[in-house]
Amino acid sequence: MTIPIAAVLPIRILGTGQALPSRVVPTAEVAALCGLTAEAAEARTGVRERRWLSGSETALTLGAQAARNALAAANLALEDVDVLLNASGSQAQPIPDGGALLARELGLSGRAAYSIHGTCLSFLLALQHAALLIGSGQAARVLIVSTEGGSVGLNMAQPESALLIGDGAAAVVLGRAVRPGQGLHAARIETYPEGADHTRIQGGGTLRHPRNAAVQPQEYLFDMQGLGVLKLASRVVPAFLERLRPGLSTGLAGISRVVPHQASKVGLDLLRRYGWPEDRVEVTLPTLGNVIAASLPLTLHQALSTGRAGEGDTVLMVGTGAGLTAGGLILEL
Amino acid sequence: MTIPIAAVLPIRILGTGQALPSRVVPTAEVAALCGLTAEAAEARTGVRERRWLSGSETALTLGAQAARNALAAANLALEDVDVLLNASGSQAQPIPDGGALLARELGLSGRAAYSIHGTCLSFLLALQHAALLIGSGQAARVLIVSTEGGSVGLNMAQPESALLIGDGAAAVVLGRAVRPGQGLHAARIETYPEGADHTRIQGGGTLRHPRNAAVQPQEYLFDMQGLGVLKLASRVVPAFLERLRPGLSTGLAGISRVVPHQASKVGLDLLRRYGWPEDRVEVTLPTLGNVIAASLPLTLHQALSTGRAGEGDTVLMVGTGAGLTAGGLILEL
């Protein structure tokens, strides 16, 4: 599905915030767990350090703190939120939904709280949903929270994924546009399930339930076949970009700043193939790693808080995630 | 959030379908596992029998079959689907998203596939999202699939939940309305997280991960404090209904048929308090149990396929789910 370019959904970002675990984990430390040298590990992944949850920190405490920071940046109170969208790739608890758990952590009661899920692209999907709610007048302000605690499920026997994943949270408050043209100009999602086994956690759902004695401990851990992801992404992304907006697979006409999912170093390197100048692409991978669904809003927060993107700019948020799913949206700030 | 009554989102149901596990489990069988008599168990729950997955059946095979049935009923091909929404309460596998897994099972590639999650009310949320996509012209046809395999996580030491839950799947294909007034007239969701511990599965996410040796086996099982749910629901639902549409807490003016979530016998009994005549309320609990998020579309499918609801009728879909979340929508068929 593509939003016709003519029909702009009139939204704007009222505030963004992040919350990072206090524990900084240098690549040398993870490399040692994986039996690699720090130099080899960093060259391979492009990640110098990442944050991992520790002590009393959880995906919920972090998510709530990011939400409070975003509300403070927007100069809004919790009561101003009509809808709380949980847009996280990892699940805090199977039941109830993460939206309700975040609402409890925040002290928000009586408002809509639920989840939009598409693993690493959950934030894009939630932003589109928020734009539809606001654009159709069903909500005035929507708070999106992406929070990840995936480090608990890393497999040190698989360095390519173990070295990549970090924890963290980011939140964005959205409201109605204040000028013509401001808002969501395009959004597109395409899923290619021939890549469904390239990125997975098999154990823990109804198919491979923890009660099932046949499920092996490593099935609960993150498993990524990077080469498979890369091959499939290389094949489908150019045409996907053309459908998102013609010309995007060969350049950045009309785009001020690219906020990509921080999937991996090779994933980011791929963007150069499309003729996208490196200095227009926002990057958080070296210091945060791949923070699953929180990578996109964390990287957006960085672009906005450093002033590299601001009022009137047109931002392309784009990436691929488990599925394989390609997703992108074009937002005029 | 409430959709203003004036702004109807122009959608219609093009087809519905269901797929049930072949194994019928009489209440006597579950009662024996729980150490109860069949009579006591049935009187308590109102469930005579339910279906449980067996053999090679999974939530995915069932969900795909329900989807095929809904497409056949709509006289549509798989390629006609723009967006596939997974609206299931239980998760088949943590990664990738259930939307991608269902797309693979169906053989659907290159279309949007993702999840909307709010445990038992996931279908309501997905229907609202579909209405926004179709109403804004971003999609012509949306396929919603709710499929549940929750029986794998039942705790026979807790009869009130073990006796209640069944497996099953239902799917609905939505398209654009063909006459004025047809479509979604109102939708509302309110979450009261003070009830977050009343219905839960604690183990299996990042908070209580299977890798964590401290997590007890029963934490992976469904846990429900029915009395707590009932007390909180009794307190918040009447005002919720008034906000959905004034007058709904004391009668059914303008509503032809009620399709409620089949939470439990006491949950359905509660509806009488609102002055809703029993013969206008569709019920599947006695033969299917509570099929989590699939209960709402299964019950809708029954209302439509029996002719108890049809073209021009106004249906109220309503319920409470884990969270505690109250949700409802008013749909003119």
Side-chain angles (χ1 to χ4, degrees):
Chain A
M1 80 217 154
T2 306
I3 301 177
I5 305 282
V8 178
L9 287 171
I11 54 159
R12 73 187 164 116
I13 294 174
L14 303 175
T16 64
Q18 70 175 28
L20 299 176
S22 57
R23 184 179 168 211
V24 178
V25 183
T27 287
E29 189 179 331
V30 194
L33 295 171
C34 296
L36 294 176
T37 68
E39 296 68 30
E42 194 176 320
R44 191 161 158 176
T45 60
V47 183
R48 283 199 306 276
E49 60 187 39
R50 78 285 292 141
R51 308 290 184 109
W52 283 354
L53 295 174
S54 66
S56 60
E57 292 168 345
T58 69
L60 297 179
T61 62
L62 233 55
Q65 190 54 49
R68 284 183 213 107
N69 294 345
L71 287 168
N75 203 19
L76 290 172
L78 196 53
E79 301 71 49
D80 297 321
V81 173
D82 296 314
V83 180
L84 166 61
L85 296 177
N86 171 45
S88 307
S90 59
Q91 197 175 44
Q93 183 174 310
I95 293 181
D97 177 66
L101 295 172
L102 281 169
R104 177 166 68 176
E105 191 71 29
L106 277 166
L108 182 72
S109 184
R111 305 302 162 89
Y114 51 97
S115 294
I116 312 276
H117 190 257
T119 52
C120 289
L121 303 185
S122 300
F123 180 81
L124 291 190
L125 293 164
L127 198 149
Q128 187 203 22
H129 181 67
L132 288 165
L133 288 175
I134 293 167
S136 64
Q138 286 166 71
R141 276 172 295 263
V142 178
L143 170 62
I144 306 175
V145 180
S146 297
T147 182
E148 302 293 355
S151 65
V152 73
L154 295 181
N155 182 358
M156 296 306 157
Q158 188 182 77
E160 75 166 329
S161 61
L163 285 162
L164 202 54
I165 304 294
D167 298 331
V172 174
V173 194
L174 295 157
R176 203 164 174 87
V178 289
R179 54 174 175 73
Q182 189 176 42
L184 188 63
H185 285 241
R188 189 168 182 89
I189 292 285
E190 294 178 7
T191 297
Y192 294 88
E194 48 270 47
D197 284 339
H198 294 160
T199 312
R200 63 184 180 180
I201 296 176
Q202 278 195 283
T206 61
L207 297 181
R208 307 286 291 163
H209 193 269
R211 151 179 278 185
N212 177 351
V215 180
Q216 298 300 306
Q218 71 270 21
E219 293 187 52
Y220 300 116
L221 306 182
F222 191 70
D223 173 43
M224 189 182 83
Q225 307 301 325
L227 192 61
V229 174
L230 199 70
K231 277 185 176 171
L232 183 53
S234 303
R235 180 163 72 76
V236 302
V237 169
F240 159 79
L241 289 171
E242 288 301 311
R243 284 186 287 267
L244 176 61
R245 178 179 283 181
L248 266 187
S249 74
T250 54
L252 279 181
I255 304 292
S256 338
R257 192 106 201 121
V258 180
V259 173
H261 174 48
Q262 310 289 304
S264 67
K265 185 172 180 289
V266 285
L268 289 171
D269 287 348
L270 211 58
L271 305 184
R272 279 199 290 258
R273 287 200 204 167
Y274 311 130
W276 299 358
E278 219 170 324
D279 63 0
R280 254 194 280 171
V281 177
E282 196 73 25
V283 170
T284 54
L285 186 79
T287 52
L288 297 178
N290 173 337
V291 196
I292 316 178
S295 270
L296 274 164
L298 280 166
T299 307
L300 177 66
H301 174 72
Q302 178 181 287
L304 294 169
S305 56
T306 57
R308 286 196 287 267
E311 178 85 21
D313 284 343
T314 297
V315 169
L316 168 66
M317 298 189 77
V318 69
T320 60
L324 178 117
T325 298
L329 53 82
I330 297 171
L331 184 68
E332 185 179 318
L333 298 177
Chain B
M1 78 218 154
T2 305
I3 301 177
I5 305 282
V8 179
L9 287 171
I11 53 159
R12 72 186 165 116
I13 294 174
L14 303 176
T16 64
Q18 70 176 26
L20 299 176
S22 58
R23 184 180 167 211
V24 178
V25 183
T27 287
E29 189 181 329
V30 194
L33 294 171
C34 296
L36 294 176
T37 68
E39 296 68 29
E42 194 176 320
R44 191 161 158 177
T45 60
V47 183
R48 284 198 307 275
E49 60 187 39
R50 78 285 294 140
R51 307 290 184 109
W52 283 355
L53 295 174
S54 66
S56 61
E57 292 168 346
T58 69
L60 297 179
T61 62
L62 232 56
Q65 190 53 50
R68 284 183 213 106
N69 294 345
L71 287 168
N75 204 19
L76 290 172
L78 196 55
E79 301 70 50
D80 297 321
V81 173
D82 297 314
V83 180
L84 166 61
L85 297 177
N86 171 45
S88 307
S90 59
Q91 197 176 44
Q93 183 172 311
I95 292 181
D97 177 66
L101 295 172
L102 281 168
R104 178 167 66 176
E105 191 72 27
L106 278 166
L108 182 72
S109 183
R111 307 302 163 91
Y114 51 97
S115 295
I116 313 274
H117 190 257
T119 52
C120 289
L121 303 185
S122 300
F123 180 80
L124 291 190
L125 294 164
L127 197 149
Q128 186 202 24
H129 181 67
L132 289 165
L133 289 174
I134 293 168
S136 64
Q138 286 166 69
R141 277 172 295 264
V142 179
L143 171 63
I144 306 175
V145 181
S146 297
T147 183
E148 303 293 355
S151 65
V152 72
L154 295 181
N155 182 0
M156 296 307 156
Q158 188 183 75
E160 76 165 326
S161 61
L163 286 162
L164 203 54
I165 302 295
D167 298 331
V172 175
V173 194
L174 294 157
R176 203 164 174 89
V178 288
R179 55 176 174 69
Q182 190 176 40
L184 188 63
H185 285 241
R188 190 170 182 87
I189 292 285
E190 295 178 7
T191 297
Y192 294 88
E194 48 269 48
D197 285 339
H198 293 159
T199 313
R200 63 184 179 181
I201 296 176
Q202 278 195 284
T206 61
L207 297 180
R208 306 285 292 162
H209 192 270
R211 151 178 277 184
N212 177 351
V215 180
Q216 299 300 305
Q218 71 270 19
E219 293 187 53
Y220 300 115
L221 307 182
F222 191 71
D223 174 44
M224 188 182 83
Q225 307 300 325
L227 191 63
V229 174
L230 199 71
K231 277 186 177 171
L232 182 54
S234 303
R235 179 163 72 76
V236 302
V237 169
F240 159 78
L241 289 171
E242 288 302 312
R243 284 186 287 266
L244 177 61
R245 178 179 281 182
L248 266 187
S249 75
T250 54
L252 279 182
I255 304 293
S256 337
R257 192 104 202 123
V258 181
V259 173
H261 175 48
Q262 310 289 304
S264 66
K265 183 171 180 291
V266 285
L268 288 171
D269 287 348
L270 211 57
L271 305 184
R272 280 200 290 260
R273 288 200 203 166
Y274 311 131
W276 298 358
E278 218 169 324
D279 64 0
R280 252 193 280 171
V281 178
E282 195 72 26
V283 170
T284 54
L285 186 79
T287 52
L288 297 178
N290 173 337
V291 197
I292 317 179
S295 270
L296 274 164
L298 280 166
T299 307
L300 176 66
H301 174 74
Q302 177 181 287
L304 293 169
S305 56
T306 57
R308 285 194 289 266
E311 179 85 21
D313 283 344
T314 297
V315 170
L316 167 66
M317 299 189 77
V318 68
T320 60
L324 178 114
T325 298
L329 54 81
I330 297 171
L331 184 67
E332 186 180 317
L333 298 177

